[in-house]
């Protein structure tokens, strides 16, 4: 994911197997908790990290609560 890349969709993410490697500081967040509380939402069955005009990440069929420990 790069800022400005519109929407990235992840279809086969596995809890505690896959990791979402984000540059938290570069994105302006001090921690995963700050990131999730600011841009994270649950949209039906999908976890969403919405950075507004800078793009979003959608992890299909995955809960935001499960995603928290997979963000590094």
């Amino acid at each position: 994911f790069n800022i400005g890349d519109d929407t990235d969709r992840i279809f086969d993410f596995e809890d505690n197997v896959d990791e979402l490697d984000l540059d938290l500081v570069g994105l302006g967040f001090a921690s995963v908790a700050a990131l999730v509380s600011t841009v994270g939402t649950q949209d039906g069955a999908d976890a969403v990290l919405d950075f507004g005009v800078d793009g979003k990440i959608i992890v299909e069929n995955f809960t935001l609560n499960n995603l928290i420990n997979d963000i590094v």
Side-chain angles (χ1 to χ4, degrees), residues 39-69:
V39 302
T41 59
Q42 187 71 40
D43 184 11
D46 305 333
V48 179
L49 299 175
D50 189 344
F51 300 95
V53 297
D54 292 323
K56 71 172 68 169
I57 300 169
I58 300 172
V59 184
E60 295 197 351
N61 299 309
F62 208 80
T63 66
L64 190 60
N65 285 338
N66 283 341
L67 186 62
I68 292 169
N69 70 317

Side-chain angles (χ1 to χ4, degrees), residues 12-19 62 69-70:
D12 58 354
F13 199 85
E14 292 185 50
D15 192 24
N16 298 319
V17 174
D18 295 314
E19 294 180 334
F62 208 80
N69 70 317
D70 296 315

Side-chain angles (χ1 to χ4, degrees), residues 3 23-31 34-35 38-39 51:
I3 293 295
D23 177 10
L24 295 176
V25 173
L27 291 169
F29 299 97
S31 67
L35 169 88
T38 304
V39 302
F51 300 95

